[in-house]
Amino acid sequence: ALSNGFILPECPEEVTITHKSPSSSVANQDKSSKRGALPVPSDEFPGWTVKQVPRQGSRHVDKYWYHPSLSEVTFRSRVGVTAVLTQAERLGVDLRTALESIPRDDSRKWCTGLKTS
């Protein structure tokens, strides 16, 4: 048995130390399940998918929109999706060209992942 950090010889017992990975903690499992939420088809924007991620300790749900032709880009707001759709329709171009035609300072407000050339 242990007494003040010492093993007493009259009570030998086997001690097994198990190391756990920090990624297996309950807090990290919660985070990974939220990050791993699968996008579902958007009712609001046909052809787009939306991922809904509840904020920890809040009733608020963050939404992230994705489009197959902009696979590396994540839209953080409806405003951004609407801006790109409006720009594409106004110019008669595809979504990528529409997004690239929007000033970077504006698009940075509502999307991430767009690579500049």
Side-chain angles (χ1 to χ4, degrees):
L2 291 175
S3 174
N4 295 328
F6 296 98
I7 298 177
L8 300 176
E10 68 273 2
C11 300
E13 66 183 52
E14 187 175 319
V15 177
T16 304
I17 298 173
T18 306
H19 296 282
K20 289 189 176 182
S21 165
S23 64
S24 65
S25 73
V26 173
N28 283 332
Q29 287 172 356
D30 284 347
K31 288 177 189 174
S32 65
S33 68
K34 289 176 187 174
R35 282 192 304 258
L38 295 175
V40 296
S42 171
D43 294 332
E44 195 170 0
F45 303 110
W48 291 71
T49 56
V50 62
K51 182 192 301 189
Q52 298 186 34
V53 182
R55 285 191 189 175
Q56 188 173 1
S58 172
R59 285 194 253 170
H60 185 80
V61 176
D62 292 314
K63 293 182 179 180
Y64 302 96
W65 286 267
Y66 306 90
H67 192 273
S69 67
L70 301 169
S71 60
E72 75 284 0
V73 181
T74 299
F75 288 82
R76 296 185 304 260
S77 73
R78 281 185 188 92
V79 172
V81 175
T82 302
V84 170
L85 291 172
T86 301
Q87 184 79 337
E89 186 176 332
R90 187 174 71 76
L91 298 176
V93 296
D94 63 279
L95 293 177
R96 178 166 305 283
T97 304
L99 180 57
E100 290 171 351
S101 73
I102 295 172
R104 185 71 179 125
D105 288 344
D106 292 340
S107 65
R108 186 176 290 138
K109 296 174 191 172
W110 31 256
C111 79
T112 59
L114 180 64
K115 305 289 185 231
T116 56
S117 28

